[in-house]
Amino acid sequence: MPLAAITGATGFIGGVIAQKLLAQGWQVCALSRSASSAERLKNAGLTPVSDDLDNPDSLHKLMQSCDAVVHCAGAVRGASYADFEATNVSGTEQLIAAMPDKQLPLVLLSSLAAREPGLSHYARSKREMETLLDSADAPPTCLVLRPPPVYGPGDRELMPLFQAFEKGLAPLPAPADARVSLIYVDDLAAAVVAWLQRKNRSSGVYEIHDGQPQGYTWDEVVAVAEKLLNRRIRKIHLPSAPLRLWGRANAQASRILGYAPMLTPGKVRELRHANWVCDNADLQKMLDWYPQVSLSEGLQRTCGWG
């Protein structure tokens, strides 16, 4: 049985990728930060390795005798670049340095936000993570995936919006003409596993989405939800000025109270960006993978609608 080493397996996306690997006959060892997370990993059929990305000994232990490395761990909340850099950049650098064999295939989970690094600290950190692969020390065989918003059971980012849909409200921070691609988490995980199962792997940075040409407007997403819920949903396109003010206040409060915020000025710029549409063409040229889950089916699986 091949052995995959994975970071971020206690998270939403990493957990689904780990289960997909197990289902395809892989053994999976995973980095864990606490006794409770180690117990959850054991219960999920994974072998936990305790410690964090900043511990070279733990990283060496994680990747000992493995056949592939999947790096899903990442910071998504913070008020400063340093909040994201520690995990997304330095943590990835530590992981690459600790790889016992640079010929091992490596999967890095990036973000579509890396396409626009000037928008936010998060986007910049993901682009900087990708540039680590330009160094002489980087593994030559590496797949970098840039997904758009990922949803599915266990997701915490889009679920509050979907729960608002159930109540008949759609607070939409993006402009009415903005377009966004989406992807159901199982399709993303299937692409990772398909690449790892290949004998001849191509390296590169690839966008990935659910196959919907030109993505969606948020009005179109709401229309799918209305059909599944069999009810009207009131759309509220939130103006940019209050969102920017809220983001600044949240970032300032986080520095005083010591928490990692989600809504910051950078996140508002991401949410207001007009084009988050992906293109699967390059990925599908090199990989025998096609998205299987439509938005309607994905929302049914995620929310139990329909």
Side-chain angles (χ1 to χ4, degrees):
M1 295 176 68
L3 174 64
I6 184 168
T7 68
T10 55
F12 164 53
I13 296 173
V16 175
I17 292 174
Q19 291 304 311
K20 287 281 188 183
L21 286 166
L22 290 174
Q24 291 298 316
W26 289 70
Q27 294 178 317
V28 182
C29 59
L31 205 62
S32 65
R33 294 183 177 184
S34 65
S36 60
S37 67
E39 188 65 25
R40 290 199 303 273
L41 292 172
K42 285 182 181 178
N43 293 336
L46 283 63
T47 301
V49 175
S50 298
D51 228 313
D52 211 336
L53 285 171
D54 59 0
N55 188 324
D57 291 337
S58 294
L59 290 173
H60 279 292
K61 184 178 178 182
L62 173 72
M63 294 182 283
Q64 191 69 34
S65 302
C66 73
D67 300 289
V69 181
V70 181
H71 183 38
C72 298
V76 297
R77 295 171 177 264
S80 68
Y81 178 68
D83 292 335
F84 298 99
E85 191 275 342
T87 298
N88 297 349
V89 184
S90 295
T92 304
E93 190 172 27
Q94 292 270 17
L95 179 134
I96 291 173
M99 290 179 68
D101 180 358
K102 291 300 188 292
Q103 300 304 313
L104 287 173
L106 170 65
V107 177
L108 290 183
L109 194 68
S110 185
S111 167
L112 191 60
R115 198 168 72 185
E116 302 289 346
L119 287 179
S120 67
H121 296 312
Y122 170 74
R124 176 188 164 196
S125 73
K126 284 297 188 178
R127 174 65 73 84
E128 289 294 324
M129 181 192 76
E130 294 177 1
T131 62
L132 293 174
L133 299 175
D134 296 331
S135 71
D137 191 44
T141 307
C142 180
L143 173 70
V144 179
L145 290 177
R146 286 180 172 179
V150 183
Y151 69 101
D155 165 45
R156 295 181 180 179
E157 305 307 327
L158 285 175
M159 185 55 72
L161 180 61
F162 297 156
Q163 290 171 339
F165 289 178
E166 290 183 342
K167 297 175 182 177
L169 293 175
L172 304 173
D177 60 347
R179 302 196 71 87
V180 60
S181 292
L182 300 168
I183 189 166
Y184 186 70
V185 65
D186 282 17
D187 278 339
L188 174 59
V192 172
V193 175
W195 185 80
L196 290 175
Q197 302 278 55
R198 286 177 60 91
K199 292 183 180 179
N200 299 315
R201 304 180 184 93
S202 298
S203 299
V205 179
Y206 295 91
E207 296 180 357
I208 182 171
H209 69 109
D210 67 1
Q212 175 71 16
Q214 297 304 311
Y216 310 87
T217 65
W218 282 104
D219 284 0
E220 291 169 344
V221 175
V222 171
V224 173
E226 286 180 325
K227 185 175 181 179
L228 291 171
L229 289 167
N230 193 28
R231 67 168 299 170
R232 181 179 175 275
I233 299 173
R234 182 186 176 194
K235 295 184 289 289
I236 305 171
H237 288 277
L238 304 176
S240 61
L243 282 173
R244 291 197 300 268
L245 182 61
W246 186 6
R248 287 196 297 269
N250 200 29
Q252 292 170 357
S254 71
R255 297 186 183 99
I256 298 171
L257 300 177
Y259 67 91
M262 175 57 77
L263 188 69
T264 62
K267 179 57 67 174
V268 171
R269 288 190 293 271
E270 287 181 33
L271 293 171
R272 300 287 299 176
H273 189 62
N275 180 11
W276 289 123
V277 176
C278 295
D279 185 352
N280 278 342
D282 289 341
L283 181 64
Q284 291 177 326
K285 285 178 183 176
M286 75 90 175
L287 188 64
D288 184 20
W289 167 89
Y290 298 91
Q292 301 296 312
V293 183
S294 68
L295 176 59
S296 179
E297 182 180 351
L299 289 176
Q300 289 179 59
R301 294 187 188 183
T302 302
C303 306
W305 298 344

